[in-house]
Amino acid sequence: MILSQPRESGALFFKESALVTVVLGAQWGDEGKGKIVDYLSERADIVCRYQGGANAGHTIIEGGRKFVLHLLPAGILRPNTMCIIGGGVVVDPAALLDEITQLEAAGISLDGRLFVSHQAHLIMPYHKLLDSLHESQADRVKIGTTGRGIGPAYVDKVARVGIRIVDLLDRDSLRQKIRANVEDKNRLLSKIYEAAELDVDAIVDEYVAFDQRIDPYVKDVSVVLDEAMRSGKSIILEGAQGTLLDVDMGTYPFVTSSNPTAGGACTGLGIGPRAIDHVIGIVKAYTTRVGEGPFPTEILDGEEQTKLREKGDEFGATTGRPRRCGWFDGVAVRFAARVNSVDSWAVTKLDILSGMDSIKFCVEYEDGHRSYKHFPSDSRILSTVRPVYEELPGWKESLDGVTHYEDLPKQAKDYLKYIESFTEVPVSIVSVGAARNQTMVLRS
């Protein structure tokens, strides 16, 4: 058979030297992916974003400075790391230019280091307007979106009427496409939402100006990555949001509009699945969720939840919204391990659990009629189940100054071992604070 013949080029050729790692959230997002990607990017040649939009807030502390990135990959703070925004991302021109300006003002050069896929779809002004109007309707199910136009942009993408970066190259065609879209959206705005109509020419002028600024960064990133893998580069593929917000695998309809799961890395960047060597799942030592939707392990005691939220600074980097807080959900995380083929965990915010007498760990759900050892696909079921907890001993010691695994309290190490044994996935990284040096690597 042809497939059994040795090959001198392609994936099997560069596989021995290239290292491609997917880093993704294994809960409902906000797991600390930005910090972990930033840490790993010190030894990476390329870091790529493969889906989502400017609703993904990554907070990174570098040199005493705080950077909140929404579109640019976390590796952008490393001067020798190339960063790529893939075609699976929906790009807000205003947000992208703001971040580029912010970094340049901080003395961080992007020349030859930042590339954006020509296949990426653009978020248009009508996407943002429709997002906020739709979410504000009293008779609609509240999803808890950020109102940044992400969902409507993906709707147009799937409906095959989206505007891509490559469309900016032909001004006449761009004007025709925008005019057709705006005329369609204006009918919706005026007749359904009774809102003011949009100006076609103003939108065209805005995006032509954006094209002039973004042109040096536009590339066919599939080709760039293929060449990088053939030359043995180390590449990180960075997901936004989290597994439980995946539009296919998550708590639908309370999800994002793209695929944060590992499969989304392939479609969002134009690479094949055999190119991926390792998948790191990021989990908090507890669980949080922003917005609406079921959350089985949510702490219902208001005072206890507030205490955990404030100690963990659980407020959205993008919106400032307070996050809902709860105990570690082993059922959900084991589900994430399965659908992503997770090879190892990076556990973040272990330090936030210091000072607790005991820590709850959800091992299954029940609803009075049956127990659930596997994550239900029906959000209605998930919203009615009760968590079954295993209580593990806590620890009193602060972890602020701990930089080696051996120096962790025994109970903290036991907690990590319990995560490993329950999910059948080893822990490779532990974070005990926001700074880069508050990161421990347990396994290569």
Side-chain angles (χ1 to χ4, degrees):
M1 293 178 63
I2 293 176
L3 290 179
S4 67
Q5 300 297 318
R7 300 198 297 177
E8 297 181 356
S9 62
L12 296 182
F13 175 75
F14 62 71
K15 203 60 187 169
E16 293 181 3
S17 54
L19 179 63
V20 179
T21 303
V22 177
V23 180
L24 53 80
Q27 295 160 314
W28 274 286
D30 307 307
E31 300 94 347
K33 296 180 292 296
K35 184 208 170 174
I36 300 301
V37 172
D38 172 68
Y39 181 85
L40 294 174
S41 65
E42 182 179 14
R43 294 176 176 83
D45 298 300
I46 304 174
V47 178
C48 312
R49 268 283 306 276
Y50 60 81
Q51 48 74 225
N55 54 346
H58 292 338
T59 302
I60 303 167
I61 307 296
E62 190 271 333
R65 298 177 297 178
K66 179 179 179 180
F67 294 90
V68 179
L69 305 176
H70 304 283
L71 276 171
L72 296 178
I76 202 68
L77 299 183
R78 301 288 186 179
N80 298 317
T81 301
M82 180 191 296
C83 288
I84 288 175
I85 296 176
V89 178
V90 287
V91 175
D92 180 346
L96 179 58
L97 293 178
D98 282 349
E99 289 185 37
I100 290 174
T101 302
Q102 173 194 356
L103 293 178
E104 287 177 342
I108 299 171
S109 174
L110 306 181
D111 291 343
R113 297 182 51 231
L114 174 63
F115 298 113
V116 183
S117 172
H118 65 304
Q119 295 175 315
H121 281 247
L122 293 168
I123 293 177
M124 309 298 290
Y126 45 80
H127 292 142
K128 297 179 184 179
L129 183 56
L130 288 170
D131 201 358
S132 59
L133 288 172
H134 185 276
E135 190 74 0
S136 66
Q137 296 299 296
D139 60 342
R140 300 281 186 178
V141 175
K142 297 294 183 290
I143 304 299
T145 73
T146 58
R148 293 176 177 246
I150 313 296
Y154 277 113
V155 168
D156 277 4
K157 175 179 178 177
V158 175
R160 294 165 294 184
V161 295
I163 307 295
R164 300 191 299 169
I165 287 179
V166 70
D167 294 324
L168 299 175
L169 299 175
D170 187 328
R171 302 292 165 79
D172 292 335
S173 174
L174 174 66
R175 186 177 296 273
Q176 292 173 9
K177 289 180 179 180
I178 291 180
R179 183 174 296 280
N181 275 350
V182 171
E183 288 175 354
D184 181 55
K185 300 302 189 290
N186 276 341
R187 285 191 290 270
L188 186 61
L189 289 170
S190 61
K191 297 182 183 301
I192 303 298
Y193 295 108
E194 299 180 349
E197 296 185 354
L198 297 169
D199 185 332
V200 176
D201 293 326
I203 295 174
V204 172
D205 292 343
E206 177 186 349
Y207 281 74
V208 167
F210 167 70
D211 176 44
Q212 295 171 346
R213 286 285 310 275
I214 201 68
D215 187 63
Y217 304 109
V218 178
K219 289 278 187 180
D220 184 337
V221 302
S222 176
V223 172
V224 173
L225 289 173
D226 182 66
E227 293 173 349
M229 289 185 285
R230 291 175 186 277
S231 60
K233 300 294 186 182
S234 175
I235 303 169
I236 294 174
L237 315 181
E238 174 189 14
Q241 292 88 41
T243 295
L244 304 180
L245 292 178
D246 186 280
V247 68
D248 292 307
M249 305 307 301
T251 52
Y252 192 90
F254 306 98
V255 292
T256 193
S257 301
S258 57
N259 295 107
T261 43
C266 297
T267 56
L269 291 166
I271 64 172
R274 287 190 296 173
I276 296 172
D277 296 284
H278 193 89
V279 178
I280 298 178
I282 316 295
V283 292
K284 272 180 186 163
Y286 48 100
T287 311
T288 63
R289 175 165 199 168
V290 173
E292 306 298 326
F295 185 3
T297 64
E298 183 172 14
I299 296 173
L300 301 179
D301 183 312
E303 183 176 346
E304 189 176 19
Q305 175 157 166
T306 299
K307 183 178 178 181
L308 182 58
R309 178 186 296 129
E310 291 179 351
K311 186 177 181 183
D313 191 25
E314 296 297 349
F315 299 90
T318 299
T319 63
R321 289 185 296 181
R323 296 173 185 141
R324 300 156 62 189
C325 298
W327 299 110
F328 193 96
D329 190 334
V331 180
V333 171
R334 193 160 55 185
F335 166 78
R338 184 176 81 243
V339 300
N340 291 300
S341 295
V342 172
D343 293 294
S344 68
W345 299 122
V347 179
T348 63
K349 292 199 169 184
L350 185 66
D351 53 304
I352 304 303
L353 298 183
S354 292
M356 295 184 177
D357 293 324
S358 63
I359 300 168
K360 294 181 180 179
F361 188 109
C362 176
V363 295
E364 63 179 291
Y365 307 140
E366 63 179 12
D367 62 6
H369 303 288
R370 58 172 291 190
S371 62
Y372 298 84
K373 296 187 181 298
H374 299 288
F375 196 72
S377 59
D378 191 335
S379 289
R380 292 172 298 179
I381 294 176
L382 200 61
S383 65
T384 61
V385 297
R386 295 185 301 274
V388 177
Y389 289 117
E390 188 76 26
E391 292 218 21
L392 306 174
W395 59 92
K396 297 297 184 182
E397 300 92 330
S398 170
L399 306 185
D400 286 349
V402 177
T403 57
H404 295 89
Y405 174 78
E406 294 75 17
D407 297 328
L408 288 172
K410 178 182 181 301
Q411 296 89 339
K413 287 188 266 190
D414 288 344
Y415 184 67
L416 295 173
K417 291 174 183 175
Y418 194 86
I419 292 174
E420 289 185 322
S421 63
F422 187 83
T423 62
E424 299 181 322
V425 174
V427 173
S428 60
I429 299 173
V430 178
S431 172
V432 293
R436 284 173 172 170
N437 64 357
Q438 292 178 297
T439 312
M440 292 169 270
V441 178
L442 280 58
R443 295 173 173 85
S444 174

